[in-house]
Amino acid sequence: MSDKNIFEAVDDEDEPAQAQLPATVKAAKFEMTNAEHDLATAMGLSLGGDVAALVGAAATKTNQALTLVIESGLLLMEDYAQIEDSERSESMRSDSKPKFKALIESVNMPFQRAYEAMSMAKFAAGLPEAQRADMLALPKSKVALLAQADPEVVADLFDDEGFDVAALSI
């Protein structure tokens, strides 16, 4: 794997101005109907257990979601680096971005989502190991925005002893 900036070509165009936040569901009640039970069954998700067990499982899955996005970003970064290395060895001119984008789109992944995952992975990799646990406890939307922030500002936030990273608002 190369130490060069693999985002150099990707950053030049199609960069989102800011992370697109997912639409939120606004409901007066979150009732469990047959539709929700059917969805859980289709996903292989057990809804059995007491309240504490369900909340614990939900917290674990939420934390795993961000970890999975970062893992996805690392895989995509490696894919991009391999495509770029392959293109460079075939010719002196690199056209890796269109090929990478086509591969992303061929698996029905929006390029924006891939870019966000790579940005979050790059951000997580740049944090000192001690701060990664704090970052992994944040919601994905906050990490997506932190990944776009100036690295010096983020470093100052994490270095401030009185700063509560969980209290950070979007």
Side-chain angles (χ1 to χ4, degrees), residues 16-23 112 116 140-141 144-145 148:
Q18 65 178 347
Q20 297 295 318
L21 301 178
Q112 165 113 11
E116 288 173 359
K140 186 181 128 214
S141 58
L145 291 173
Q148 294 179 4

Side-chain angles (χ1 to χ4, degrees), residues 133-155:
D134 289 340
M135 182 273 306
L136 288 170
L138 294 173
K140 186 181 128 214
S141 58
K142 288 183 184 181
V143 175
L145 291 173
L146 284 170
Q148 294 179 4
D150 183 325
E152 292 177 11
V153 172
V154 174

Side-chain angles (χ1 to χ4, degrees), residues 2 21 35 47 62 88:
S2 147
L21 301 178
L47 299 176
T62 299
R88 191 171 294 116

Side-chain angles (χ1 to χ4, degrees), residues 10 13-15 76 79-80 83 95-112 114 118:
V10 178
E13 54 186 76
D14 296 335
E15 180 177 349
L76 291 166
D79 290 343
Y80 185 83
I83 290 169
D95 290 329
S96 53
K97 184 178 180 187
K99 186 173 184 178
F100 178 70
K101 192 171 184 178
L103 282 170
I104 296 297
E105 291 170 352
S106 76
V107 294
N108 297 320
M109 178 183 239
F111 186 72
Q112 165 113 11
M118 291 187 301

